[in-house]
Amino acid sequence: MELQTLYNEYLNIKFKRGLQPVQMESFEYGLYDDDSADLFLKDHPEETFTNWMYDLQPRDPHYVSEPDWKPVLGELFQQMDIYDEQVLYYLLFTINTTLSINSHNAYSTMNDFMKNYSFLQLSHLSEITRLNAEQKHQVRDFFFFYYLYAHPVNEETLYACSFDRQNLVHTKTDIPLERYFAAFHDHYSTNMNEYSEQIAIAPHDIQTCKHLTLELLRRIEGKSAKLNMPKEEGLEAVLLLINDVDQMLQMHDENKTVLFEIMKKFLTEARSTPYRDHCFTTLLQNYVSYILFFRFDEIHALVDYFEATPEWCRMIINKIFMDTVFIDRVMRQKRIDITAYPNVIQFFDDEAKRIYL
């Protein structure tokens, strides 16, 4: 399965790009009346990639005073208890929702962007050469935190995993997610007779879902080739920097004015489509994630360049500070007092002032 093709189709539908749908072998997107969409199995058009396992959700042991059952895969993973089983199910469900398209309110729009932005960046990290190993580890943990946080998941699930080199493991049990997810799908596809009332798809469909789940996981772990944002006329320069973080970092280090000129050119054209706006937001958050994350004072150069056009400077600053909570987390981690940056806060709109001042 070519995940890049599926990712392109996800963006095509999500941002109403109007491109001809791509025919895929096993899945197709189905749209709901509220503009949300899900991946449906072609052989079972009533079942989605996300919800085929809905009735397999483990019983919640937190609501039972003395839970007396064992995990379904307890013999294979003897270090796992029923609380761990529930967390691992939540993690599987979270990964499987990565390519779902949801309707949004103001709160969920930010979360949706942060989750899918973090997913894309996690797929890029292994190919970035202009960050050292420690810097990569820092931003990888940052992105994975927000990938889960913005789903959102409960606190137990949020802190359940850690990276062991390029393997995501359930920290308490040391179970690799890849191994558990593979075993989960293999168990249910092999024992269909036992679960016929809970599963509406065929064993080979479960294996198809397994392959897609593992492809998504391997992108998060950085084991597979990065995903790219698809091309669009007029966005060549912006997309080059999004799809090649090394290029953005090199440009900034050698002549940051060129980077700012690309931003300025985008604003000069003043054409607005959902995909164009998403690409510009992504570029600005890359600036936060890969530059301000390590060198916050670089924000002075951005303001110095754009202050001659205050309307653009105000728009950029407020997008940086308000489109996500990334920069808020960076400032907390680095103990940065934004009031020490009067040249920045002079461009805050009322909502940014309320939140940051």
Side-chain angles (χ1 to χ4, degrees):
M1 182 181 303
E2 178 51 60
L3 185 56
Q4 181 66 60
T5 300
L6 185 53
Y7 184 66
N8 290 354
E9 187 66 6
Y10 160 79
L11 294 175
N12 178 33
I13 293 172
K14 183 171 187 171
F15 296 111
K16 298 180 173 60
R17 301 183 68 208
L19 303 179
Q20 186 69 25
V22 176
Q23 294 300 311
M24 294 174 282
E25 183 178 349
S26 303
F27 296 98
E28 62 184 356
Y29 271 104
L31 275 65
Y32 301 109
D33 291 340
D34 62 357
D35 282 343
S36 60
D38 249 324
L39 268 181
F40 285 80
L41 287 147
K42 278 193 169 181
D43 291 345
H44 297 273
E46 74 288 352
E47 287 292 332
T48 68
F49 172 59
T50 303
N51 286 334
W52 76 266
M53 60 180 196
Y54 180 82
D55 289 333
L56 302 177
Q57 180 172 343
R59 184 180 173 192
D60 191 340
H62 296 91
Y63 292 98
V64 179
S65 58
E66 296 182 10
D68 59 356
W69 63 92
K70 296 184 181 302
V72 173
L73 300 181
E75 290 187 9
L76 187 59
F77 301 100
Q78 295 184 10
Q79 70 272 49
M80 175 179 68
D81 62 26
I82 54 179
Y83 298 93
D84 304 323
E85 179 185 46
Q86 187 180 47
V87 167
L88 287 162
Y89 178 90
Y90 290 157
L91 288 165
L92 173 58
F93 183 82
T94 298
I95 287 172
N96 283 1
T97 60
T98 301
L99 298 178
S100 294
I101 299 168
N102 302 303
S103 58
H104 299 297
N105 55 38
Y107 171 77
S108 62
T109 296
M110 179 188 289
N111 273 352
D112 180 74
F113 176 84
M114 291 194 299
K115 177 177 180 177
N116 289 284
Y117 172 86
S118 296
F119 172 70
L120 179 65
Q121 300 313 312
L122 285 163
S123 86
H124 283 199
L125 277 175
S126 63
E127 299 189 22
I128 297 174
T129 63
R130 294 183 72 89
L131 297 179
N132 61 39
E134 175 57 28
Q135 289 173 321
K136 283 187 182 184
H137 290 159
Q138 288 182 50
V139 292
R140 181 181 65 179
D141 289 346
F142 182 88
F143 291 140
F144 187 63
F145 175 88
Y146 277 106
Y147 174 76
L148 295 179
Y149 174 86
H151 174 67
V153 298
N154 61 28
E155 187 170 3
E156 185 180 11
T157 307
L158 181 61
Y159 295 104
C161 288
S162 55
F163 281 93
D164 178 9
R165 294 183 293 274
Q166 279 190 290
N167 299 311
L168 267 170
V169 299
H170 180 247
T171 309
K172 178 187 166 188
T173 60
D174 206 33
I175 296 172
L177 295 194
E178 184 172 1
R179 181 171 170 238
Y180 183 83
F181 292 164
F184 178 96
H185 290 81
D186 291 345
H187 172 80
Y188 288 110
S189 62
T190 302
N191 298 282
M192 280 292 295
N193 291 338
E194 185 179 348
Y195 300 100
S196 59
E197 293 187 3
Q198 295 151 280
I199 303 175
I201 62 177
H204 75 272
D205 295 307
I206 296 177
Q207 289 297 308
T208 297
C209 290
K210 177 181 83 171
H211 294 317
L212 179 52
T213 293
L214 295 182
E215 280 199 51
L216 292 167
L217 175 62
R218 287 167 186 151
R219 287 318 199 286
I220 293 169
E221 295 177 320
K223 294 177 181 176
S224 301
K226 69 179 180 181
L227 294 169
N228 286 319
M229 298 276 289
K231 297 177 181 177
E232 182 162 308
E233 185 178 353
L235 287 175
E236 292 84 359
V238 169
L239 286 167
L240 173 64
L241 300 182
I242 291 173
N243 290 330
D244 188 346
V245 173
D246 277 336
Q247 180 83 359
M248 184 192 74
L249 291 173
Q250 180 178 0
M251 183 180 293
H252 181 269
D253 291 345
E254 293 180 356
N255 189 352
K256 61 194 70 175
T257 298
V258 178
L259 172 59
F260 300 149
E261 285 174 351
I262 289 173
M263 297 178 184
K264 181 179 179 179
K265 185 172 186 293
F266 174 90
L267 295 172
T268 302
E269 293 180 359
R271 284 193 299 122
S272 178
T273 69
Y275 186 61
R276 283 176 58 83
D277 295 344
H278 176 75
C279 288
F280 191 62
T281 299
T282 300
L283 178 60
L284 291 180
Q285 294 305 318
N286 276 9
Y287 180 76
V288 171
S289 300
Y290 296 107
I291 295 172
L292 301 185
F293 187 97
F294 299 107
R295 296 170 286 168
F296 191 84
D297 279 356
E298 288 293 342
I299 200 168
H300 291 304
L302 178 72
V303 173
D304 289 346
Y305 180 85
F306 280 102
E307 65 181 355
T309 50
E311 69 279 11
W312 289 347
C313 195
R314 183 172 294 106
M315 187 268 282
I316 289 172
I317 290 299
N318 283 285
K319 284 184 69 62
I320 283 175
F321 280 83
M322 298 298 293
D323 281 351
T324 73
V325 298
F326 294 155
I327 201 164
D328 180 63
R329 177 120 175 147
V330 169
M331 292 192 298
R332 290 176 186 272
Q333 287 181 344
K334 312 293 183 182
R335 298 181 179 177
I336 293 167
D337 180 2
I338 195 59
T339 62
Y341 295 77
N343 59 330
V344 175
I345 63 177
Q346 67 174 318
F347 291 103
F348 279 3
D349 62 18
D350 290 342
E351 186 65 8
K353 289 176 183 176
R354 184 186 69 80
I355 291 172
Y356 289 100
L357 300 181

